[in-house]
Amino acid sequence: AIDMAWKCLTEEFKLDTSRLYATYFGGDDSSPADLEARDIWLKYLPAERVLPFDAKDNFWEMGDIGPCGPCTEIHIDLRNNADRSKKDGKALVNEDHPQVIEIWNLVFIQYNRNADKSLVNLPETHVDTGMGLERLAMALQGKQSNYDIDLFQSIIEIN
């Protein structure tokens, strides 16, 4: 799934790879780091743009119990070159910066969280994936805000 996401963003959509960052689950007391995802990303990105994060950012759970798993996210730095030269985008990933945004995530559903908070491997695993259409449009159209993309501008101009 990571290979497919990368190819879609870089070969089909032709996004600038120097603006892309990947995050992965760095591990915690209840489950190990997702080194498989990290290692796949390292085929495409330099190590300084493959970033570990904690469960808050890179472990998906639907609720207190049920299917869950580590996730990896693709972020893009849409700031202008002057701003990029002042501060590395790496420091802005997962910091709610309006131009350094997540555009795609891949959740590796491999565990079930029990009521006692323990994790049990699922008998079947899968990948749940999602991409923000408005965020992708922002990147493809070179906009600094979701509201500036053509999809929203056509609505805003009517009203």
Side-chain angles (χ1 to χ4, degrees), residues 9-25:
L9 292 175
T10 62
E11 294 175 19
E12 297 300 322
F13 294 132
K14 307 217 182 301
L15 293 180
D16 180 352
T17 61
S18 74
R19 293 178 175 271
L20 297 176
Y21 295 83
T23 65
Y24 67 95
F25 178 57

Side-chain angles (χ1 to χ4, degrees), residues 27-104:
D28 64 17
D29 293 338
S30 66
S31 81
D34 187 358
L35 302 181
E36 181 179 7
R38 181 203 62 192
D39 292 347
I40 294 170
W41 281 120
L42 290 172
K43 293 188 316 187
Y44 301 111
L45 291 167
E48 62 270 11
R49 287 196 280 131
V50 178
L51 312 171
F53 280 89
D54 61 13
K56 177 177 123 344
D57 290 305
N58 281 95
F59 195 92
W60 182 86
E61 296 183 85
M62 188 170 70
D64 292 338
I65 60 171
C68 58
C71 68
T72 185
E73 300 168 340
I74 306 162
H75 297 253
I76 189 164
D77 185 347
L78 299 173
R79 296 174 302 148
N80 63 44
N81 288 334
D83 289 342
R84 289 178 68 208
S85 70
K86 292 176 191 167
K87 186 168 191 171
D88 191 342
K90 172 182 176 175
L92 300 172
V93 170
N94 281 335
E95 293 296 322
D96 295 324
H97 190 286
Q99 280 91 42
V100 181
I101 56 173
E102 174 191 335
I103 57 172
W104 198 325

Side-chain angles (χ1 to χ4, degrees), residues 67-68 108-112 120-127:
C68 58
F108 307 113
I109 305 294
Q110 63 191 63
Y111 301 114
N112 189 70
V120 177
N121 288 326
L122 290 170
E124 300 290 329
T125 61
H126 69 275
V127 179

